[in-house]
């Protein structure tokens, strides 16, 4: 009887040790998985932020080229130099877009494609590849900013950020752009255009 009691005690100790080992392994695996997830989320955040930064730089290059080409603004630099600036901004943006493609989920990738398409349309009009009015230019920019806002929303969902980026409060804020030279030339106040 004493031998049986000792065997039961040894079995209980072994079972306890195996249970502790298995629990520790599962906890360690969970920690490693969480660390990997956080590391990838950080890389995604960096890629998304870098991409939008490059998109904004391309928008600026588009605007300068368009305004110089249309005679809205004068610059000490040639139109050819401004085209080169736009080409370089587009090249850097394309590289940032590829990083998004490598890291993002389907919804973010689709939103980034929409941004790319909107940016291309702006670039075509800025360079004169596609002719258009100033009103058309404004529409293209509004569409671009709506695409950027949608990208932000999808990126926030992908990163697990709570709250909504798109919505009435954000969309009510307008994008300030100069008044049209035609009908609005007599007013000096900028026109607010919805960008969300």
């Amino acid at each position: 009887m004493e031998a049986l009691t000792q065997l039961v005690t040894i079995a209980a100790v072994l079972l306890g040790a195996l249970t502790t080992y298995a629990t520790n392994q599962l906890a360690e695996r969970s920690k490693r998985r969480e660390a990997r997830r956080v590391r990838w989320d950080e890389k995604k955040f960096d890629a998304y932020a870098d991409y939008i930064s490059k998109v904004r730089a391309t928008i600026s290059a588009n605007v300068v080229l368009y305004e110089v080409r249309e005679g809205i603004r004068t610059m000490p630099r040639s139109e050819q130099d401004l085209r080169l600036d736009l080409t370089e901004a587009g090249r850097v943006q394309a590289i940032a877009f590829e990083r998004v493609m490598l890291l993002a989920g389907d919804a973010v990738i689709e939103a980034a494609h929409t941004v790319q398409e909107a940016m291309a349309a702006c670039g075509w009009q800025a360079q004169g590849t596609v002719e258009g009015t100033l009103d058309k230019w404004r529409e293209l920019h509004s569409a671009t900013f709506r695409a950027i806002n949608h990208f932000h929303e999808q990126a926030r969902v992908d990163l697990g950020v709570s709250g909504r980026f798109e919505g009435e409060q954000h969309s009510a804020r307008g994008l300030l752009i100069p008044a049209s030279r035609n009908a609005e030339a007599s007013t000096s106040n900028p026109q607010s255009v919805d960008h969300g």
Side-chain angles (χ1 to χ4, degrees), residues 150-183:
H150 184 66
F151 176 85
H152 280 136
E153 179 69 18
Q154 295 305 315
R156 288 168 59 92
V157 168
D158 190 39
L159 294 170
V161 177
S162 63
R164 288 193 38 82
F165 183 79
E166 293 179 326
E168 289 190 29
Q169 281 186 328
H170 180 73
S171 295
R173 292 178 172 89
L175 170 67
L176 294 179
I177 58 177
S180 171
R181 290 185 293 177
N182 300 344

Side-chain angles (χ1 to χ4, degrees), residues 35-54:
R36 256 193 320 270
R37 187 194 62 76
V38 167
R39 186 174 67 239
W40 282 113
D41 281 352
E42 288 172 356
K43 291 197 180 296
K44 283 181 181 183
F45 173 79
D46 290 344
Y48 299 167
D50 183 57
Y51 173 63
I52 289 301
S53 170
K54 302 305 190 267

Side-chain angles (χ1 to χ4, degrees), residues 56-112:
R56 297 287 184 162
T58 305
I59 288 171
S60 294
N62 273 325
V63 168
V64 171
L65 176 58
Y66 177 80
E67 290 180 354
V68 166
R69 200 176 62 70
E70 292 292 317
I72 298 171
R73 176 194 305 203
T74 58
M75 300 262 319
R77 301 181 65 219
S78 71
E79 189 177 314
Q80 183 59 32
D81 287 341
L82 298 176
R83 286 177 185 277
L84 291 173
D85 290 348
L86 179 55
T87 299
E88 178 60 16
R91 184 190 70 76
V92 172
Q93 177 187 328
I95 292 168
F97 174 72
E98 292 302 321
R99 282 187 68 210
V100 169
M101 295 287 287
L102 287 170
L103 294 169
D106 291 342
V108 176
I109 290 171
E110 199 55 43

